[in-house]
């Protein structure tokens, strides 16, 4: 089997996310490859989930097959259709995502080369991330600007922020603990709880920042039950006139994000 090119975790990583690559460059060497690979695999699954020209059922099947391979399975994996859909993209970012799909087998080889502890940590976080991507595809199937679909409860919102980012906070913390301060005396339960909350806080900031853009794609991450309590629907949030009613609820979620981050 062809050995993966070391460039997979350098220039390709840089091309699919310049900002994360800058972060990765200053991480301690002991954890750089593990976190870089986890990010590449997450970007691969995210690219599959976001390839809208491919039917939802086909995206779900591709995610399932890739997830099985990440977890150590040996099933076939053909992402040709997804990579082909990226060939017409003009931006460098999307071209890099096409290359990422084409080189997924190399990424899986790198994963297999890690020791058992690192491999299991990467597998665990990817299992959670992919589960969230699958849930989103099912939840928002058919959503568009004229058919807005929303999360229903705060519990669903909390679960979403965990699957997208809270689990990443947990992963980073466990990787750092294993390699950088394995013998440190820490209250692990509190340590990991705060790591998860930090990730959730970052994702809540994203949600609050991107409300309008998400609504125009038919997605509302502000729970519908909470909007109903103040006499609003998800579609109402696109109207400037709804701001006065919505502002107290918006501020409540802003306070929650700040509390998570603090």
């Amino acid at each position: 089997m062809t050995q993966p090119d070391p460039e997979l975790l350098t220039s390709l990583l840089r091309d699919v996310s310049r900002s994360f690559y800058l972060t990765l460059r200053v991480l301690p060497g002991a954890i750089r490859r593990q976190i870089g690979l986890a990010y590449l695999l997450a970007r691969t699954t995210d690219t599959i989930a976001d390839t809208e020209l491919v039917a939802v059922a086909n995206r779900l099947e591709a995610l399932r097959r890739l997830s099985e391979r990440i977890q150590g399975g040996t099933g076939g994996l053909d992402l040709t259709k997804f990579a082909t859909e990226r060939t017409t993209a003009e931006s460098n970012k999307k071209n890099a995502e096409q290359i990422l799909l084409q080189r997924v087998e190399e990424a899986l080889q790198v994963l297999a080369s890690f020791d058992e502890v690192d491999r299991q940590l990467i597998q665990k976080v990817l299992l959670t991330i992919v589960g969230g991507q699958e849930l989103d595809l099912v939840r928002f199937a058919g959503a568009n600007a004229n058919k807005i679909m929303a999360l229903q409860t705060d519990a669903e919102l909390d679960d979403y922020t965990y699957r997208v980012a809270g689990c990443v906070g947990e992963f980073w913390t466990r990787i750092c603990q294993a390699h950088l301060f394995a013998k440190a005396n820490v209250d692990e339960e509190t340590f990991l709880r705060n790591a998860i909350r930090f990730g959730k806080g970052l994702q809540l900031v994203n949600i609050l920042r991107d409300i309008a853009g998400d609504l125009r794609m038919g997605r509302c991450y502000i729970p519908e039950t909470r909007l109903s309590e103040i006499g609003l629907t998800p579609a109402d949030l696109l109207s400037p006139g709804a701001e006065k009613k919505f502002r107290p609820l918006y501020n409540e979620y802003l306070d929650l994000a700040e509390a998570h981050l603090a």
Side-chain angles (χ1 to χ4, degrees):
M1 184 178 291
T2 304
Q3 291 301 306
D5 191 325
E7 169 267 340
L8 187 76
L9 295 179
T10 54
S11 59
L12 181 57
L13 189 63
R14 177 199 63 210
D15 291 342
V16 294
S17 179
R18 294 185 183 278
S19 59
F20 182 78
Y21 179 70
L22 294 175
T23 302
L24 190 71
R25 288 179 62 189
V26 299
L27 289 178
I31 59 172
R32 197 176 301 150
R33 294 181 73 248
Q34 298 93 320
I35 291 177
L37 179 72
Y39 179 84
L40 274 185
L41 288 171
R43 280 306 302 268
T44 305
T45 60
D46 193 52
T47 299
I48 292 170
D50 286 347
T51 305
E52 295 182 354
L53 293 176
V54 176
V56 169
N58 292 338
R59 283 182 268 170
L60 287 168
E61 177 62 15
L63 283 174
R64 183 186 67 79
R65 289 181 178 274
L66 178 52
S67 183
E68 288 177 353
R69 289 291 304 278
I70 291 170
Q71 300 307 315
T74 58
L77 182 64
D78 183 5
L79 301 182
T80 303
K81 183 173 180 59
F82 294 88
T84 299
E85 294 295 349
R86 296 284 171 175
T87 60
T88 58
E90 295 180 0
S91 71
N92 290 333
K93 185 176 181 180
K94 290 190 176 180
N95 288 333
E97 288 174 343
Q98 175 198 351
I99 296 170
L100 184 62
L101 292 167
Q102 294 169 336
R103 299 182 64 177
V104 65
E105 291 291 348
E106 290 181 64
L108 292 169
Q109 287 180 57
V110 176
L111 176 62
S113 73
F114 288 140
D115 66 35
E116 184 176 0
V117 172
D118 288 345
R119 189 168 63 252
Q120 288 181 352
L121 287 174
I122 295 170
Q123 289 169 333
K124 180 182 178 182
V125 71
L126 264 296
L127 188 65
T128 304
I129 289 171
V130 172
Q133 291 165 341
E134 292 171 335
L135 189 60
D136 252 23
L137 281 174
V138 173
R139 177 185 282 144
F140 295 116
N144 56 56
N146 298 314
K147 185 182 179 182
I148 298 173
M149 298 180 178
L151 302 188
Q152 293 301 302
T153 65
D154 278 339
E156 286 188 3
L157 176 60
D158 186 69
D159 177 70
Y160 173 77
T161 57
Y162 173 72
R163 290 173 182 269
V164 173
C167 67
V168 179
E170 181 180 18
F171 164 71
W172 272 61
T173 300
R174 288 191 181 277
I175 281 283
C176 290
Q177 185 177 18
H179 290 276
L180 305 179
F181 47 91
K183 296 181 180 180
N185 183 20
V186 297
D187 178 349
E188 188 162 315
E189 182 179 349
T190 301
F191 196 49
L192 291 173
R193 182 170 62 247
N194 286 339
I196 290 169
R197 290 192 68 186
F198 191 77
K200 287 180 177 180
L202 292 174
Q203 187 58 32
L204 264 179
V205 170
N206 286 340
I207 288 170
L208 296 173
R209 181 191 62 192
D210 296 337
I211 288 175
D214 288 334
L215 287 169
R216 292 187 181 98
M217 293 190 296
R219 298 184 175 203
C220 180
Y221 291 97
I222 304 300
E224 192 164 17
T225 54
R226 300 300 310 279
L227 290 171
S228 179
E229 290 170 1
I230 57 175
L232 293 175
T233 68
D236 290 335
L237 298 184
L238 285 171
S239 170
E243 182 180 356
K244 186 175 181 179
K245 276 188 176 182
F246 180 52
R247 175 61 64 175
L249 181 59
Y250 182 92
N251 288 343
E252 182 180 328
Y253 286 118
L254 196 61
D255 289 343
L256 178 59
E258 183 179 14
H260 279 329
L261 294 172

